[in-house]
Amino acid sequence: MSFLDTHLLSFIVFLPLVFAGVLAMLPREEHGELRVFSLIAMLTGAALGVYAYLRFDPAGPEFQLLYRARWFDEAGISYHVGVDGIAVSLLMLTAFLGPLVVLASWSFVTERVKEFHIALLVLQTMMLGAVVSLDLLLFYVFFEGMLIPMYLLVGVWGSEDRQMAATKFFVYTLGGSLLMLIALLGVYFIAMPAGSRTFDYATVYNAFLSANRELGACRGDPAACATLSPLAVTLRTWGPWMFGACVLAYAIKVPMFPVHTWLPDAHVQAPVAGSIILAGVMLKMGTFGFWRFAFPLFPAATQEFRVALAAISVVGIVYGALMCLAQRDVKKLIAYSSVSHLGFCMLGMLALTVEGATGSAYQMLNHGVSTGALFLLFGFLYERRHTRLMSDYGGIARVMPLFTAAFLVATFSSIAVPPTNGFVGEFLVLLGTFKSDLSLVLAVLASTGVILGAAYMLWMVQKVFFGQVTHGENQGLKDLGGREVLTALPFVALVLVMGLRPQPFLERLEPSARRLVARANVARPGAASPDAELLISALPLPPAGGTVAKSPEAPPRLPLRPARLATPPSSPSGAPEGVRVAPASP
């Protein structure tokens, strides 16, 4: 591969951090210069994100644009990054939102402008790093690193109760993250023998695969439990506990019912940039954690607790929708809608059908676009009126027609009206759930969430936008200006493009969905997926003191097909003895 392709993900991840370092040296009173510089940084990252998305070949190897370097050899930690279909999609979503967040805050943030944009850029690095990490501890570092800049965004630039909301967010998510760290350390110690332990995701997963197959056989035939290997016995004893720790950590981040209570406060008190980032990207770190780590590493526990988790997801769908109907604060309504929408993402994954998993991944992208757009647009309105109550509005469509049109498009996306992106995602999730072996009652109850979603969103739109202008303050409101149209237009365009032409997005997500379903079903009695379909190709460590490991060269022009990885040698590769590595595609 070319130098750019080999280092592309590292450039994308650390470029915002480099710009943040340069930004720290600029004069703090030059607000315009600080904003322009931050916008340039985010635009550069967005361009590289689009290149990475186009560079990814859906028909190629599972993980592409791979790069691995030695980090802490003594502890088995390496800097290992790469993307599959879902990771490259979330990478592009994060990069896409970056410049729009800067534009959205252009006139909203007027104090500590320099520190605000530094926090944005650092947070961008942490989110991008978590998505591309293929080392368990590297993922944890980025996952935990998001907390500090987001805490500052809410606690320093938020509304009147910002410190309470920021503290609640920090305590909830930190507690979950520490539980996840304990689980990852448990995986580290039991996956490999002393002397060859590693945090490398592919190596750990491959080491667990045969033991997870044994647990699947044990579930179907109790007699097989008498011949379990030592690793399978350990996983049978401790796997549910480690799975539970990961579930709690990711459930808080999603957030799932009943550990969701930090989210409405954080959304309400956060500045518009914080709300967009929370809805657009940070909540997806929870669903992504389930997808990447919890379900593939612990398929036996996934099968054991799957129905309970699906039931909790459906409760979240219905509960979030009912809470929306009880709100009078617009931002809090949009926040509770996230609890409902992300319940669909979880239900699609737990259906363990290709349609459900694909819809879940697509719904992650949809939620980032539609709910991010709602927070953006209401932020513009809040900037003019400084009130969040529906009763303080009414008749806005008469004085702000452009704003109303954009908000309606985002609303239609949120309630899954054809031909918006939301329809594609929720349809696939429900289709996959009805086709699964989950109870039909769960699928029917989840469907009511669609009806309730239309009820609360259209009720809010009617209260805010239609009828007579009942407050004199609203009579003189200005419609969207040039910068605001420029910020809102990409959201509107993406809602329609993803609704009318979903196939280019789905073709990158479907292979990842098929692998997730196959890996989560390994511990199901009678699962017959071949090892070649389940194993992950492990990129070898470079020789000590040598160059970094990278993929071989690929053709120089777009559209490009990344070259297949060569099968790594048995022991100089850095992969421990006895770990099976998937052969390269011919």
Side-chain angles (χ1 to χ4, degrees):
M1 300 176 73
S2 69
F3 178 85
L4 176 60
D5 287 333
T6 302
H7 297 81
L8 180 59
L9 297 181
S10 297
F11 286 153
I12 293 173
V13 170
F14 292 106
L15 188 67
L17 196 61
V18 172
F19 274 97
V22 177
L23 190 67
M25 296 183 285
L26 297 179
R28 71 175 57 250
E29 63 275 4
E30 297 293 337
H31 292 178
E33 181 180 340
L34 294 169
R35 294 183 178 108
V36 170
F37 187 80
S38 300
L39 181 61
I40 292 172
M42 293 294 197
L43 285 171
T44 306
L48 290 174
V50 171
Y51 176 81
Y53 190 76
L54 297 175
R55 184 73 178 84
F56 184 85
D57 179 13
E62 177 179 6
F63 289 101
Q64 301 174 29
L65 301 174
L66 290 160
Y67 178 96
R68 191 176 183 189
R70 292 181 177 271
W71 192 11
F72 294 116
D73 284 347
E74 296 81 3
I77 307 170
S78 63
Y79 174 77
H80 190 186
V81 294
V83 288
D84 60 353
I86 187 172
V88 79
S89 299
L90 291 174
L91 177 80
M92 191 185 70
L93 175 65
T94 308
F96 164 80
L97 291 176
L100 302 180
V101 166
V102 175
L103 285 172
S105 308
W106 202 269
S107 58
F108 192 84
V109 174
T110 56
E111 296 181 357
R112 298 178 179 174
V113 175
K114 179 177 178 177
E115 291 82 356
F116 175 81
H117 288 95
I118 289 174
L120 281 184
L121 291 168
V122 172
L123 181 57
Q124 187 80 344
T125 285
M126 298 303 162
M127 294 186 298
L128 292 166
V131 167
V132 304
S133 295
L134 292 178
D135 181 277
L136 300 178
L137 201 65
L138 183 66
F139 172 80
Y140 174 79
V141 168
F142 284 120
F143 188 87
E144 195 83 325
M146 301 175 209
L147 301 187
I148 295 175
M150 179 53 74
Y151 173 82
L152 294 175
L153 286 176
V154 177
V156 176
W157 293 277
S159 299
E160 58 277 0
D161 293 327
R162 57 186 178 272
Q163 293 180 355
M164 176 276 297
T167 302
K168 194 173 182 180
F169 158 76
F170 192 86
V171 170
Y172 265 75
T173 50
L174 178 64
S177 299
L178 292 176
L179 285 173
M180 180 182 68
L181 177 61
I182 294 172
L184 296 183
L185 288 173
V187 168
Y188 170 78
F189 281 109
I190 70 173
M192 308 298 300
S196 58
R197 290 185 175 126
T198 178
F199 283 99
D200 181 65
Y201 172 66
T203 305
V204 168
Y205 168 81
N206 291 339
F208 274 7
L209 181 57
S210 60
N212 281 321
R213 282 193 183 280
E214 293 179 51
L215 292 180
C218 176
R219 285 171 57 86
D221 179 13
C225 300
T227 58
L228 292 178
S229 66
L231 178 56
V233 171
T234 305
L235 267 180
R236 188 185 185 193
T237 304
W238 296 104
W241 293 98
M242 292 185 287
F243 177 75
C246 287
V247 163
L248 188 56
Y250 302 139
I252 290 172
K253 205 78 166 187
V254 171
M256 295 176 67
F257 177 88
V259 289
H260 66 284
T261 56
W262 64 269
L263 180 66
D265 292 328
H267 266 314
V268 167
Q269 301 301 323
V272 60
S275 293
I276 294 172
I277 293 172
L278 263 176
V281 182
M282 284 195 67
L283 304 186
K284 311 309 177 302
M285 295 302 156
T287 52
F288 181 72
F290 278 106
W291 187 294
R292 174 71 81 236
F293 300 106
F295 293 167
L297 291 179
F298 306 106
T302 300
Q303 296 293 334
E304 185 175 352
F305 298 105
R306 173 181 166 230
V307 175
L309 289 172
I312 292 172
S313 300
V314 172
V315 170
I317 291 171
V318 178
Y319 166 83
L322 292 175
M323 286 299 293
C324 287
L325 287 170
Q327 301 308 312
R328 299 298 180 267
D329 182 313
V330 177
K331 280 194 80 174
K332 189 166 282 192
L333 183 150
I334 301 172
Y336 273 111
S337 76
S338 292
V339 177
S340 185
H341 290 150
L342 288 164
F344 279 104
C345 293
M346 289 303 305
L347 182 63
M349 268 191 279
L350 289 160
L352 294 186
T353 58
V354 176
E355 295 87 354
T358 305
S360 170
Y362 205 66
Q363 195 65 6
M364 293 182 208
L365 305 181
N366 292 340
H367 180 264
V369 173
S370 59
T371 308
L374 290 172
F375 278 119
L376 167 77
L377 291 165
F378 185 74
F380 291 155
L381 189 58
Y382 182 80
E383 194 174 351
R384 290 161 167 78
R385 286 283 280 112
H386 297 285
T387 178
R388 299 187 299 266
L389 297 178
M390 295 182 207
S391 57
D392 290 330
Y393 296 102
I396 298 297
R398 295 174 179 268
V399 293
M400 301 179 69
L402 278 179
F403 173 83
T404 303
F407 201 96
L408 283 175
V409 171
T411 299
F412 292 153
S413 170
S414 182
I415 63 178
V417 172
T420 65
N421 56 342
F423 172 76
V424 179
E426 289 192 8
F427 175 79
L428 287 173
V429 167
L430 291 174
L431 176 64
T433 305
F434 276 105
K435 289 182 65 175
S436 74
D437 59 355
L438 291 174
S439 170
L440 189 62
V441 173
L442 294 178
V444 171
L445 288 175
S447 302
T448 65
V450 179
I451 301 169
L452 291 172
Y456 65 72
M457 288 301 295
L458 294 177
W459 170 67
M460 182 266 289
V461 165
Q462 189 273 331
K463 294 279 289 184
V464 173
F465 291 95
F466 297 106
Q468 298 299 318
V469 180
T470 55
H471 295 273
E473 300 93 330
N474 297 330
Q475 192 68 57
L477 291 177
K478 294 182 179 179
D479 207 352
L480 296 181
R483 172 186 61 85
E484 293 168 328
V485 170
L486 184 64
T487 309
L489 198 57
F491 283 103
V492 173
L494 204 53
V495 163
L496 298 175
V497 169
M498 291 179 69
L500 293 169
R501 287 283 296 158
Q503 196 56 39
F505 302 93
L506 293 175
E507 68 182 8
R508 285 169 171 79
L509 296 173
E510 187 179 359
S512 294
R514 290 187 180 279
R515 293 184 177 103
L516 171 71
V517 172
R519 288 166 183 164
N521 281 328
V522 161
R524 176 177 288 184
S529 296
D531 281 358
E533 199 174 289
L534 298 171
L535 286 165
I536 299 175
S537 296
L539 191 66
L541 274 172
T547 58
V548 296
K550 56 187 180 180
S551 300
E553 188 164 351
R557 293 192 309 125
L558 287 173
L560 298 173
R561 291 177 61 87
R564 273 57 171 174
L565 296 176
T567 304
S570 54
S571 72
S573 67
E577 294 274 343
V579 176
R580 293 179 296 170
V581 180
S585 301

